[in-house]
Amino acid sequence: MIQRIYFQLAFTFLFVQNTTAQEVIPFYGSHEGRINDFVEVYHTPDTLKGQEVWSGIQSGDIEKIKQKVNPGITSSAFWVVATVANFNEKEELYLEIDYAQLDYLHLYQISNDSAFSLFETGDKFPFEDRPVQYRNFTFPLKIQTGDTATYLLNIDKRLSAARFPMYLYSDASFWNMYNRETIFYGFCFGFLALVTLISLLVGIKLKMHIFLWYAGYVFTFGLRCFAKLGYGFQHITSNYPEFNTHFFPLTTQLAMVFLIMYIQRYFDTKMTMSRFHKLMDFWLWLFVISTVIWALFPGAIVAAGPILISMRYLIIISIIIFAYSSGINYLKIDAFRSRIFLVGYSLFFLGVLSQILIEYGAINSSLVPGDPLFAGFFFEVGVLSYAMVILLLDVVKEKNTLFISNQRLQGLVMELQEKDNEVEKAYVILKSKAVVDPHRIRYIQSDDHYLEFHLNDKKHPEVDRNKLSAILEVLPPQFVQIHRSTIVNLEYVKTIYGSYLLLNNGEELKLSRTYKPQLEERLVK
């Protein structure tokens, strides 16, 4: 029975072709395995034809390099030689390069000292032209069971970071991996989309910019990771290879803009760290201006790739310093909130650091499983989302407290208004600002534009400029109009006879026929 193992050296032998000795990769089982340790990597200053390179390798004219996975930022073209002995039950295998950001790849098969072209692909080609419709560059290999085949793979990505971790799969294990990966990344990006949507809705509903900037950061950096993993080209820019070249770095810049704005709001750096706040404002404008320049002169940006990558990392380092300084400084204001942020951002920082070291070739990418930056970002979002939930709960609690306090204040205001109304009803306030107790008023008479208020405790009337109809509206119910120029207080009426009223102090007031029925009706009540 054929044992299903990854790649172990069950035996080592030399496959000799003319003067070149090449280690053979024995593929036994149905599982995948990394093959970088079993290949030879060469580099040339220019992209040559496969036959030229193969002849140069055989003659020893083309230089071999020690770095077999990630040579870092370089301007060379790379050539990978791999010899595979297929001891698997099936003839079809899959060769995957686990790095989606490569401009050009050309796979040759060596036969009788000649290099025959099999597949040509890369980010410069439409996605539909790939031999396997997969986010990473993958080539199907046809090797009959028991046979050995040698391949020459040209990998070219100039003026940027180049990596080519390589895996070999059986047919079944490749598609199993494909399905598992689709489910896993579907969950991860679904979670990021959900966080973005909820933060956006909360920011709009509560009119809180911090949630909007957080939504922008999660969305743009999520897009950046989506592009980095190859899904961007597969699902978004598949028909626009030229745009895809810029999609990845542009989303990175936008993500840094939103991150700075989010940190500024999270720690209120305008108040707590004004100097750092101004420095970050400068970086914001720098990112915005560089993005505009990028859109206007994309060719110049690509040509200056290595310098710009180094500058971007310097800026990222300054943002990291800003983030940690803000978090540490805010500990004295809100320790819990600061610690949550520092934990989440530390996870992201580890991902950033690993990514930088890998791209510059300082560490081997095989030591870091998966994409370290995406892993760090995903865990950061998990922790920061918890912090945002706590912030939201605090805001809701504060709003509820303010609502209850507002309700109490409104109740107090209503009570005060009722008391004011009672005061207004209890007293008559004249235009002259004099305040008169209505119980003191015996009657009111109109004299052209003036009213005379006859009081029971004053010999002379109180005079005020007003209309009889206007003053009647603010008087208590015991006041009745008995003549077009007279209003009487019923409390002082002793009796009625004919067309006159007799007051209890002996005064007589004229009663008109027009107002007599109204007076009689009021007296009945």
Side-chain angles (χ1 to χ4, degrees), residues 479-497:
F479 285 84
V480 181
Q481 189 168 358
I482 60 173
H483 191 272
R484 62 183 178 84
S485 62
T486 309
I487 294 174
V488 68
N489 185 347
L490 296 178
E491 293 177 356
Y492 292 91
V493 176
K494 184 175 182 180
T495 185
I496 302 173
Y497 57 93

Side-chain angles (χ1 to χ4, degrees), residues 423-476:
V423 170
E424 289 179 2
K425 291 178 181 178
Y427 294 90
V428 176
I429 302 175
L430 307 183
K431 285 190 176 181
S432 63
K433 305 303 181 182
V435 179
V436 179
D437 184 348
H439 295 289
R440 295 170 55 205
I441 303 173
R442 295 197 305 275
Y443 62 92
I444 305 168
Q445 284 188 322
S446 172
D447 183 10
D448 198 9
H449 296 294
Y450 291 88
L451 298 178
E452 295 178 349
F453 292 80
H454 295 267
L455 308 178
N456 63 357
D457 56 354
K458 289 185 69 174
K459 292 182 179 181
H460 302 286
E462 186 80 35
V463 180
D464 190 50
R465 186 181 179 86
N466 209 331
K467 293 181 179 179
L468 206 65
S469 58
I471 199 66
L472 186 60
E473 292 180 358
V474 299
L475 287 171

Side-chain angles (χ1 to χ4, degrees), residues 9-16 21-26 28 83-85 87 148:
L9 228 42
F11 60 90
T12 305
F13 62 93
L14 294 178
F15 174 76
V16 180
Q22 173 66 39
E23 190 173 4
V24 175
I25 303 168
Y28 287 103
T83 300
V84 182
F87 298 106
T148 300

Side-chain angles (χ1 to χ4, degrees), residues 35-292:
I35 63 172
N36 288 82
D37 291 339
F38 305 100
V39 302
E40 300 295 342
V41 181
Y42 302 82
H43 73 122
T44 59
D46 300 306
T47 300
L48 306 174
K49 296 294 183 182
Q51 186 59 52
E52 295 178 78
V53 173
W54 183 247
S55 299
I57 290 174
Q58 288 181 305
S59 64
D61 294 334
I62 294 181
E63 182 182 358
K64 182 165 59 175
I65 64 173
K66 293 182 179 180
Q67 179 55 264
K68 295 184 178 183
V69 181
N70 52 307
I73 297 177
T74 178
S75 60
S76 297
F78 297 96
W79 302 84
V80 180
V81 179
T83 300
V84 182
N86 183 20
F87 298 106
N88 189 36
E89 297 172 352
K90 295 185 178 181
E91 298 178 358
E92 189 166 60
L93 309 178
Y94 287 89
L95 174 64
E96 177 200 5
I97 291 82
D98 189 16
Y99 186 63
Q101 310 300 314
L102 296 171
D103 295 337
Y104 179 79
L105 298 96
H106 198 156
L107 181 66
Y108 300 86
Q109 184 168 357
I110 306 302
S111 180
N112 298 323
D113 293 336
S114 298
F116 295 94
S117 176
L118 294 180
F119 303 105
E120 193 174 13
T121 185
D123 278 350
K124 301 297 184 183
F125 298 83
F127 186 83
E128 61 186 14
D129 291 349
R130 295 190 180 187
V132 177
Q133 303 294 291
Y134 179 51
R135 65 179 183 90
N136 283 331
F137 301 105
T138 306
F139 303 99
L141 306 180
K142 294 284 187 179
I143 308 174
Q144 293 186 0
T145 303
D147 283 358
T148 300
T150 299
Y151 297 93
L152 177 65
L153 176 62
N154 176 211
I155 300 173
D156 201 340
K157 185 180 183 183
R158 306 298 179 93
L159 305 175
S160 188
R163 293 172 54 204
F164 34 85
M166 301 171 65
Y167 290 83
L168 197 61
Y169 296 86
S170 67
D171 179 71
S173 62
F174 175 78
W175 293 111
N176 285 336
M177 177 276 299
Y178 179 93
N179 293 331
R180 292 194 309 269
E181 185 181 81
T182 301
I183 295 172
F184 173 75
Y185 282 118
F187 166 78
C188 291
F189 287 108
F191 171 74
L192 296 178
L194 183 63
V195 170
T196 299
L197 180 61
I198 293 175
S199 300
L200 189 63
L201 293 176
V202 170
I204 294 173
K205 179 69 176 177
L206 300 181
K207 297 180 180 179
M208 295 183 65
H209 289 167
I210 185 172
F211 284 94
L212 298 178
W213 304 151
Y214 183 63
Y217 169 60
V218 175
F219 177 72
T220 52
F221 206 87
L223 270 184
R224 185 259 182 211
C225 294
F226 198 70
K228 176 73 182 307
L229 291 167
Y231 290 112
F233 195 28
Q234 182 177 0
H235 298 290
I236 301 177
T237 60
S238 54
N239 294 321
Y240 308 97
E242 190 60 37
F243 176 69
N244 182 66
T245 303
H246 305 283
F247 184 70
F248 169 63
L250 278 176
T251 52
T252 303
Q253 290 208 172
L254 289 174
M256 293 302 102
V257 169
F258 283 114
L259 176 60
I260 293 173
M261 296 169 77
Y262 168 66
I263 295 173
Q264 287 179 329
R265 285 281 180 174
Y266 191 90
F267 294 119
D268 192 19
T269 55
K270 190 173 184 179
M271 296 296 295
T272 60
M273 300 178 68
S274 57
R275 291 184 180 178
F276 255 133
H277 183 86
K278 292 178 181 178
L279 177 61
M280 289 302 104
D281 279 344
F282 172 76
W283 288 136
L284 279 176
W285 281 108
L286 185 65
F287 273 124
V288 172
I289 294 171
S290 64
T291 302
V292 173

